[in-house]
Amino acid sequence: MDRKRFPADEWRLVETRFSAHDLGVTETLFSVGNGYLGLRGNVPEGRVAHAHGTFLNGFHETWPIRHAEEAYGFARVGQTIVNVPDAKTIRLYVDDEPLLLTVADLECYERSLDLRDGVERRDLVWRTPSGKRVRVRSERMVSFVERHLAILTFEVELLDGEGPVVLSSQILNRQDGQDEYEVPAAALGEGFDPRKTNAFEGRVLRPQAQRGDDKWAVLAYRCTNSGMTMAVAADHELTTTNDWTVRTERDGDLSKHDFVVHARPGEPIRLTKAVSYHSSRGVPVPELIDRCRRTLDRVRAGGIDAEFARQRAWLDDFWARSDVEVPGQPGVQQAIRWNLFQLACASARAESTGIPAKGLTGSGYSGHYFWDTEIYVLPFLTYTSPQVTRNALRFRHGMLPAARERAADLATEGALFPWRTISGQEASAYYAAGTAQYHINADIAYALVQYARATGDDEFLMREGAELLVETARMWAELGFWRADGSAFHIHGVTGPDEYTTVVNDNLFTNLMARFNLRAAADVVERLRVERPEQYADLADRLSLGEEEPRAWTAAAAKVVVPFNEQLGIHPQDAHFLDREIWDIGKTPASKRPLLLHYHPLVIYRYQVLKQADVVLALFLHGDQFTAEHKLADFEYYDPLTTGDSTLSGVVQTIIAAEVGYRDLAMEHFLSSLFVDLDDLHHNASDGVHVASAGGMWSALAAGFGGMRDHGGELAFDPRLPAEWDELTFRITRRGTRLRVTVRPTEIAFVCETGEGTELSVRGQAVSVRPGETTVVPLDGQGLVRPGRPLLRDLRGNRRDDGTLITMEVPGA
Amino acid sequence: MDRKRFPADEWRLVETRFSAHDLGVTETLFSVGNGYLGLRGNVPEGRVAHAHGTFLNGFHETWPIRHAEEAYGFARVGQTIVNVPDAKTIRLYVDDEPLLLTVADLECYERSLDLRDGVERRDLVWRTPSGKRVRVRSERMVSFVERHLAILTFEVELLDGEGPVVLSSQILNRQDGQDEYEVPAAALGEGFDPRKTNAFEGRVLRPQAQRGDDKWAVLAYRCTNSGMTMAVAADHELTTTNDWTVRTERDGDLSKHDFVVHARPGEPIRLTKAVSYHSSRGVPVPELIDRCRRTLDRVRAGGIDAEFARQRAWLDDFWARSDVEVPGQPGVQQAIRWNLFQLACASARAESTGIPAKGLTGSGYSGHYFWDTEIYVLPFLTYTSPQVTRNALRFRHGMLPAARERAADLATEGALFPWRTISGQEASAYYAAGTAQYHINADIAYALVQYARATGDDEFLMREGAELLVETARMWAELGFWRADGSAFHIHGVTGPDEYTTVVNDNLFTNLMARFNLRAAADVVERLRVERPEQYADLADRLSLGEEEPRAWTAAAAKVVVPFNEQLGIHPQDAHFLDREIWDIGKTPASKRPLLLHYHPLVIYRYQVLKQADVVLALFLHGDQFTAEHKLADFEYYDPLTTGDSTLSGVVQTIIAAEVGYRDLAMEHFLSSLFVDLDDLHHNASDGVHVASAGGMWSALAAGFGGMRDHGGELAFDPRLPAEWDELTFRITRRGTRLRVTVRPTEIAFVCETGEGTELSVRGQAVSVRPGETTVVPLDGQGLVRPGRPLLRDLRGNRRDDGTLITMEVPGA
């Protein structure tokens, strides 16, 4: 980061100079949201922008996916998050001259996002073309407390001289309109980027109603294809000792309140704008208009200041549960907190929806939900805000009917979750790196079991959880098949996490995840049968579940193939991974990266080259099933083959690099994840926050450097404090007990902040942590430290000499 | 076939009753064409139709391929053959009532396609609503002699009573118009069919000029996107003793000549209509109009009858070179000749274009050229009309610049031919079953070498041929890679002919074809170097070809991996084919066939199930490289796994079934190919003739039942006459010598019809055939005959027990 422009500040992201050159990135970085409503950090004047953005989680338009060449079962329903009407816009005119940051003569400027109170603030002094100096202060927040509320303030003061001032507060349908100063998408890159969203044809938002008066206004819409409905309302309060009048204007795409003020010097003009959004799958708009009004009436009654105070209190609580501290590292500290704050913005009030890959900070990945949620974001939430995890898993449960239909499309049983979706229907138009990632079924199961173990929420596990586990396990049982002699259970034709290798047999990650899923399903059914016979009978009846089915899952789980190569002593990513040529990334010029933008898939697929961690992710999620030697060998093999072209990679590489002792490399991977957006390391931060990377960053801290593991419900620590750091503190909440964990070079300390305490282990040694005590465990350093980094193996060593060298390991039950 | 409606006739396809229920099929079956111009067998009245169709080979419109999800290197330029303005239409009105076959009261009706003179004829008596009887006779042909000419005649005679008769002769742009009675495509099937063509958006043909007078008219067009130009002209002659007048009408989409006749009974009215089409990549239309006029002026000068006579003479010569006779089997004989005639219609005057998958009989597969040409059609042409093969190969040579660009897109060297194309650019929008079929490079090389060996055309081989072979071999050398110990050359990430298994490693067919290609390139370069040093120097200079490159090809060819499984004694289709589950086709209901319309590709791909012959095709094309035992084992393994969902399968299965002794099964496969269109066995004959199957049918006769092989230029026979047949006679032309070959149960006879004679072998015994002699070789039966058919192997026998069972065989150089 340019520390002159963005100085390190432990609690705030601060911009000290406006620039129009990286608007896309700063709009993303200064985004605010609450998991339901998200506002990109566009300037309030609303003109110059990379992309104006206001998003409601799950509010999407559908369109028919047209495949250039069709086939049976291809995804049919395109789903794209809608850029809903923008209520952020408050335009300022002094002497009828507009404030436009790109050309304005600014005496001073600061924009900040305060992570303690969740408010974005801007403070500037503008010297107008006629020479007047004008102080302009604004604030913006999306409430974590009131799900449907955003608050904006805009304060203007003429510092010398008087004159006419106009504040034009607007709600603007940008989805179907034209942004005067928007940079054309084509000018932003040389060509296509498959990760970017499809364009709509025709009008998306159909105006249904407009109402209002001198203070408030509401606009309501229905989506043309999806039929979803929404309303947005704004309520204004102008406070000034100057004389003023107001003029309003409203049509289907615009609501405007122009506050015309005869301003005198030193007499501030303060406009507050409370904004409410409500949306639904199809509720008629009059109902949504009422909901907006009720939200705004409540705010008007309680006052704006109360909302700011409640926001602060909510965040105090959030940080008490969630903060991670690295004393003496202000730049790192700032970045950590910014990432954690963005996780809250992406998830806190998601509630009946999922957590999009970009949160609500951009339309990247079309606002879709992926496995990112379960594997990268939920671990953080499970250990800090478990109710949010519960909501996310309930949301998946609600998708079961669609997932059952999808399983039938793919000729399997049970349920198959879509690789990417908003509505529950598969939206991935490229099956090789989409639908073939069957592992999403097990990712959901994994997150569910982790949640249940960490919280003890048996009610959820045994009700929604059991149904999810049974239906996902059924898919695996049908997808896989037995070797005829009964010695192994194979799963073929799948894509693992690494999207640079697709449609393979016995992908190690997938098989281990499937094994977990199958066993978890059998376990929960058995617990139900023994502990809750009535509930069991009901489930068995509803799902036509006999007694033999769980036995078949257990049997399959026991014999799932785990590829292992004796000669190299490593786990091949899939049955035939080692047959491939090796791609020497070191010899690929930067101009050809990321590979996916410069090579045909057929080229990439035939090499040993990884977009993201695959086996290495399995080493983390199923770390109790690998020996230390295998972890080291696998990491050393795969790390040099991994491009990190996906931001999902660095965080995982961090964790295992730390575990196996590549301390410097762990820090390198960590920093590449920590700053992926703040430093725009992948050149696409403008599309929105990399939410999965942000979530994985927490895991990299807690599990990577903190050395925390929670396999099978056993909490364990084996820390790996970076040499550069004096101390690392993080919090986790487990079954009602909140622990503060502090790692120092020669000790680890636990404080029970709430709850009854817990048992855990540190490097195999049992430890009890009780309320009111600080438990300190001395550490003999931070594990073995290996110098340098693993190198690409000698090519000859990686080639198999004949068909006999790859053998299959079938670990016992 | 319904033999009441379509009686067996050895030289004619005859329809004795009109039906509107299978119009799509009969339109295809009664198509006529010459390889440049094709007319579907639509009724001349031009109303009721499944699909009106008039096609000029290679005349296509382009459109941007929009992928639902983009990636680098995906095909960009969609290409679709244009349905050019229809000059077939001649509408008849008696007493102002139109003749419409769907409702007409017909006293008698016969339509025939005479395979001796290439004329489609219709003869009917219509009882008009007012009770008049009208004899209507028409003829239609596309000249093999005049590439740009079609002739139509229409004769009307009132048999009793007099009245007004109108013959409305039209040219109608149907591509951009609306056909009044056309069956909507959506009503023809339940849903999508990936084999059908994309629709255009907006107007395709832009009218450029219209001219004419009372006798003739011309319409000229330019394609909106491709810029290709065309003109169509018609010249009329009305012959009658009745009084008549003519009225004309012309606009951009229509030319109309209405001949208004006061008809008296017994006084025939005969209209002849000579039609000319000219097209180009972009020549201005005035030039094309001139060309049309010149063609028509010549016809007018020489007379229509002369054209019919020249057509008959051309076909006499064609049959003398090409006929295959099966005496005593009129139904089979008719079908054989219909297929051979359709091959002539698809290829005879293709000249500077390719041979589309449907010929010029429909818009199926968008008029694209595939490997069908080289592997299925060229063998027939090479041995009967070698000049046509030469043209087809020259056409491929002309595509080299585009193929070089495509090779670069795919990160290989040399040239990579597109899987499907008209213009030379890849048009396959689904790479797994398209671009990944790299084998097309070697298919072209194979056809080229076969042509050169069969004709001795060294000039072509050493000039265009050498360049083609070098550039295609370079692609293989770059695509494949060496095992580190130098023991094997692998080719990964390819799709073989079987499109139910995609993107695999070391596909046996592909590897054998690549080996052939590599060796052929090295051989031709060596011959050039030794025999034609100047030409060699020129080639080496133009292609930057050093001396080490051919050595590398030879080395790679020597070590190309040929998968072989010791336990089963068979060649796996690819390195990991036997790892897959077996799909038991016998248990798949007919309602789920073909599989591609009922299962997601991910489902199909993970099973051992074949769309079409793959290893079995290699057994034919490289039969000298397999032992008899291996051929038998491979055929017995793959035949039960092969769905035949592709019509490319049956002909190949026929040849190897015959060779290994499954006589009944060979006949079954043969009949399924012979009647694929005539009996509409795949329910899509309406889309056009299966030209590859027709070509393969000739190979099934000559190579399958005739037992002909020509490996390495050694002509050999080992016949397999079906038990049902008394005799089989076919002709082949080789290096100027035309042989007539007759197989009987106990002998094979050769007659040298033209040329100097040849050496050959029969079952290993050397035979000389000299002009003027009949050489008879006695046969001890027709080879071993096996009862029944191979069955799906016991599943346990097909499972490999562990990773060690598949071994790689690297046959020596």
Side-chain angles (χ1 to χ4, degrees), chain A residues 63 65-76 192-194 198 406 409-412 420 427-433 435-436 438 478-485 487 490 492-494 502-503 505 575-576 579-581 592 595-603 605-607 795-797 799-804 806-808, chain B residues 63 65-76 192-194 198 406 409-412 420 427-433 435-436 438 478-485 487 490 492-494 502-503 505 575-576 579-581 592 595-603 605-607 795-797 799-804 806-808:
Chain A
W63 40 276
I65 301 179
R66 288 188 197 87
H67 296 274
E69 208 166 311
E70 274 288 358
Y72 180 89
F74 275 10
R76 294 272 170 271
F192 82 98
D193 184 335
N198 287 58
R406 189 62 182 155
D409 285 348
L410 271 289
T412 63
R420 56 188 296 175
S428 171
Y430 180 58
Y431 71 79
T435 301
Y438 295 93
E478 175 68 21
L479 179 67
F481 69 100
W482 281 95
R483 204 180 288 172
D485 63 3
S487 66
H490 293 275
H492 280 188
V494 307
T502 66
V503 192
N505 296 345
H576 308 300
D579 295 354
R580 299 168 195 271
E581 271 189 287
K592 290 283 202 177
L595 304 186
L596 69 99
L597 297 186
H598 299 93
Y599 295 92
H600 192 289
L602 278 172
V603 179
Y605 293 172
R606 68 172 184 264
Y607 285 89
L795 293 187
R796 273 162 299 182
R799 297 256 60 81
R800 83 174 184 178
D801 292 318
D802 60 52
T804 66
I806 306 286
T807 59
M808 301 289 179
Chain B
W63 41 275
I65 300 179
R66 287 188 197 90
H67 296 274
E69 209 167 310
E70 273 287 359
Y72 180 89
F74 275 8
R76 295 272 170 271
F192 82 98
D193 184 335
N198 287 58
R406 189 63 182 154
D409 285 348
L410 271 289
T412 63
R420 55 187 298 173
S428 171
Y430 180 58
Y431 72 80
T435 300
Y438 296 93
E478 175 68 21
L479 178 66
F481 68 100
W482 282 94
R483 203 181 289 173
D485 63 3
S487 66
H490 293 275
H492 280 187
V494 308
T502 66
V503 193
N505 296 344
H576 308 300
D579 295 354
R580 298 168 197 269
E581 270 187 287
K592 291 284 202 176
L595 303 188
L596 70 99
L597 297 187
H598 298 95
Y599 295 93
H600 193 288
L602 279 172
V603 179
Y605 293 173
R606 67 173 185 264
Y607 286 88
L795 293 187
R796 273 162 299 181
R799 296 258 60 81
R800 81 173 185 178
D801 291 319
D802 60 52
T804 65
I806 306 288
T807 59
M808 300 288 180

Side-chain angles (χ1 to χ4, degrees), chain A residues 573-592:
Chain A
Q573 185 169 309
D574 58 71
H576 308 300
F577 185 78
L578 300 178
D579 295 354
R580 299 168 195 271
E581 271 189 287
I582 284 179
W583 187 307
D584 190 342
I585 307 165
K587 294 188 181 146
T588 308
S591 62
K592 290 283 202 177

Side-chain angles (χ1 to χ4, degrees), chain A residues 603-668:
Chain A
V603 179
I604 296 172
Y605 293 172
R606 68 172 184 264
Y607 285 89
Q608 293 190 45
V609 65
L610 279 65
K611 187 176 172 198
Q612 63 218 90
D614 195 293
V615 169
V616 173
L617 179 57
L619 299 182
F620 171 47
L621 299 184
H622 301 284
D624 55 339
Q625 295 166 47
F626 293 87
T627 66
E629 291 69 29
H630 285 162
K631 285 183 191 175
L632 177 63
D634 285 342
F635 180 80
E636 289 186 333
Y637 190 83
Y638 290 105
D639 191 73
L641 293 175
T642 306
T643 59
D645 286 350
S646 164
T647 60
L648 302 187
S649 202
V651 290
V652 180
Q653 301 291 108
T654 303
I655 295 169
I656 301 300
E659 178 173 348
V660 304
Y662 283 105
R663 185 142 76 165
D664 295 345
L665 182 55
M667 180 53 72
E668 190 182 308

Side-chain angles (χ1 to χ4, degrees), chain A residues 10-29:
Chain A
E10 295 196 345
W11 280 108
R12 297 191 316 151
L13 179 67
V14 184
E15 180 191 50
T16 60
R17 180 174 55 76
F18 175 80
S19 167
H21 293 105
D22 57 356
L23 273 178
V25 176
T26 54
E27 283 165 15
T28 294
L29 298 185

Side-chain angles (χ1 to χ4, degrees), chain A residues 547-760:
Chain A
E547 288 188 11
E548 70 300 327
E549 219 178 328
R551 279 201 292 272
W553 302 335
T554 306
K559 298 292 188 180
V560 160
V561 169
V562 180
F564 185 74
N565 180 285
E566 294 286 354
Q567 193 194 33
L568 297 173
I570 63 154
H571 293 85
Q573 185 169 309
D574 58 71
H576 308 300
F577 185 78
L578 300 178
D579 295 354
R580 299 168 195 271
E581 271 189 287
I582 284 179
W583 187 307
D584 190 342
I585 307 165
K587 294 188 181 146
T588 308
S591 62
K592 290 283 202 177
R593 303 281 297 273
L595 304 186
L596 69 99
L597 297 186
H598 299 93
Y599 295 92
H600 192 289
L602 278 172
V603 179
I604 296 172
Y605 293 172
R606 68 172 184 264
Y607 285 89
Q608 293 190 45
V609 65
L610 279 65
K611 187 176 172 198
Q612 63 218 90
D614 195 293
V615 169
V616 173
L617 179 57
L619 299 182
F620 171 47
L621 299 184
H622 301 284
D624 55 339
Q625 295 166 47
F626 293 87
T627 66
E629 291 69 29
H630 285 162
K631 285 183 191 175
L632 177 63
D634 285 342
F635 180 80
E636 289 186 333
Y637 190 83
Y638 290 105
D639 191 73
L641 293 175
T642 306
T643 59
D645 286 350
S646 164
T647 60
L648 302 187
S649 202
V651 290
V652 180
Q653 301 291 108
T654 303
I655 295 169
I656 301 300
E659 178 173 348
V660 304
Y662 283 105
R663 185 142 76 165
D664 295 345
L665 182 55
M667 180 53 72
E668 190 182 308
H669 282 308
F670 176 71
L671 293 176
S672 77
S673 305
L674 184 64
F675 289 100
V676 66
D677 290 317
L678 289 163
D679 248 355
D680 195 18
L681 298 176
H682 280 245
H683 312 297
N684 60 2
S686 54
D687 297 341
V689 170
H690 290 86
V691 169
S693 178
M697 181 221 61
W698 182 85
S699 296
L701 288 165
F705 301 137
M708 180 180 106
R709 295 292 186 280
D710 195 4
H711 296 302
E714 306 287 324
L715 190 60
F717 292 85
D718 181 5
R720 296 286 189 272
L721 187 69
E724 299 88 337
W725 296 0
D726 302 325
E727 191 177 300
L728 164 68
T729 296
F730 57 98
R731 283 95 177 143
I732 57 166
T733 300
R734 223 162 143 274
R735 302 188 193 180
T737 289
R738 191 167 81 217
L739 285 187
R740 190 172 76 232
V741 184
T742 300
V743 181
R744 299 190 188 90
T746 58
E747 64 179 34
I748 182 167
F750 302 93
V751 175
C752 174
E753 295 190 326
T754 65
E756 301 172 357
T758 189
E759 306 298 313
L760 53 83

Side-chain angles (χ1 to χ4, degrees), chain A residues 45 89-99 126 134 136 154-156 158 163-170 238 242-248 256-263 269 271:
Chain A
E45 295 73 33
T89 308
I90 300 174
R91 292 184 174 146
L92 170 65
Y93 301 82
V94 176
D95 293 326
D96 292 337
E97 291 295 326
L99 170 61
W126 169 34
V134 186
V136 184
F154 202 92
E155 194 176 319
V156 181
L158 299 198
V165 168
V166 176
L167 298 183
S168 179
S169 169
Q170 306 185 357
L238 191 80
N242 295 303
D243 296 333
W244 61 279
T245 57
V246 61
R247 270 205 306 264
T248 66
K256 203 190 278 187
H257 281 77
D258 284 359
F259 297 93
V260 184
V261 184
H262 184 77
I269 307 154
L271 177 67

Side-chain angles (χ1 to χ4, degrees), chain B residues 418-718:
Chain B
W419 178 244
R420 55 187 298 173
T421 190
I422 299 178
S423 68
Q425 297 189 276
E426 175 66 274
S428 171
Y430 180 58
Y431 72 80
T435 300
Q437 295 198 51
Y438 296 93
H439 65 79
I440 190 164
N441 255 27
D443 303 335
I444 294 168
Y446 187 93
L448 166 67
V449 171
Q450 289 290 97
Y451 164 78
R453 284 178 182 159
T455 59
D457 185 351
D458 272 2
E459 283 312 312
F460 183 76
L461 175 67
M462 302 252 189
R463 205 175 50 226
E464 288 91 339
E467 195 171 352
L468 262 171
L469 290 170
V470 166
E471 293 289 61
T472 49
R474 282 174 159 173
M475 194 286 296
W476 292 115
E478 175 68 21
L479 178 66
F481 68 100
W482 282 94
R483 203 181 289 173
D485 63 3
S487 66
F489 188 75
H490 293 275
I491 301 174
H492 280 187
V494 308
T495 298
D498 166 29
E499 294 179 348
Y500 282 175
T501 312
T502 66
V503 193
V504 297
N505 296 344
D506 289 325
N507 169 259
L508 175 113
F509 176 88
T510 303
N511 285 17
L512 291 186
M513 293 299 287
R515 179 163 78 184
F516 182 96
N517 195 162
L518 290 162
R519 285 183 175 155
D523 288 351
V524 78
V525 169
E526 180 60 15
R527 277 193 59 191
L528 265 176
R529 203 180 59 78
V530 173
E531 299 172 21
R532 307 182 179 199
E534 273 185 41
Q535 217 172 313
Y536 169 77
D538 174 58
L539 183 84
D541 186 50
R542 267 191 302 122
L543 302 183
S544 305
L545 179 70
E547 289 189 10
E548 69 301 328
E549 219 178 328
R551 278 200 292 272
W553 303 335
T554 306
K559 297 292 188 181
V560 160
V561 169
V562 180
F564 185 72
N565 179 286
E566 294 286 354
Q567 193 195 32
L568 296 174
I570 64 155
H571 294 85
Q573 186 170 307
D574 58 73
H576 308 300
F577 185 77
L578 300 179
D579 295 354
R580 298 168 197 269
E581 270 187 287
I582 285 180
W583 188 307
D584 191 342
I585 307 165
K587 293 188 180 148
T588 307
S591 62
K592 291 284 202 176
R593 305 281 296 274
L595 303 188
L596 70 99
L597 297 187
H598 298 95
Y599 295 93
H600 193 288
L602 279 172
V603 179
I604 296 172
Y605 293 173
R606 67 173 185 264
Y607 286 88
Q608 293 190 47
V609 65
L610 280 67
K611 187 175 172 199
Q612 62 217 91
D614 194 293
V615 169
V616 172
L617 179 57
L619 300 181
F620 171 46
L621 299 183
H622 301 283
D624 55 339
Q625 295 167 47
F626 293 87
T627 65
E629 292 68 28
H630 285 162
K631 285 183 191 176
L632 177 63
D634 285 341
F635 180 79
E636 289 186 332
Y637 190 83
Y638 290 105
D639 191 74
L641 293 174
T642 306
T643 59
D645 286 349
S646 164
T647 60
L648 303 186
S649 202
V651 291
V652 180
Q653 301 291 107
T654 302
I655 295 169
I656 302 301
E659 178 173 349
V660 303
Y662 283 105
R663 182 141 77 164
D664 294 345
L665 181 56
M667 180 52 73
E668 191 182 308
H669 282 308
F670 176 70
L671 294 176
S672 77
S673 305
L674 184 65
F675 289 100
V676 66
D677 290 317
L678 290 163
D679 249 353
D680 195 17
L681 297 177
H682 281 246
H683 313 297
N684 60 1
S686 54
D687 296 341
V689 170
H690 290 87
V691 169
S693 178
M697 181 220 61
W698 182 85
S699 295
L701 288 164
F705 300 137
M708 179 180 109
R709 295 292 187 280
D710 196 2
H711 295 303
E714 306 288 324
L715 190 61
F717 292 86
D718 181 4

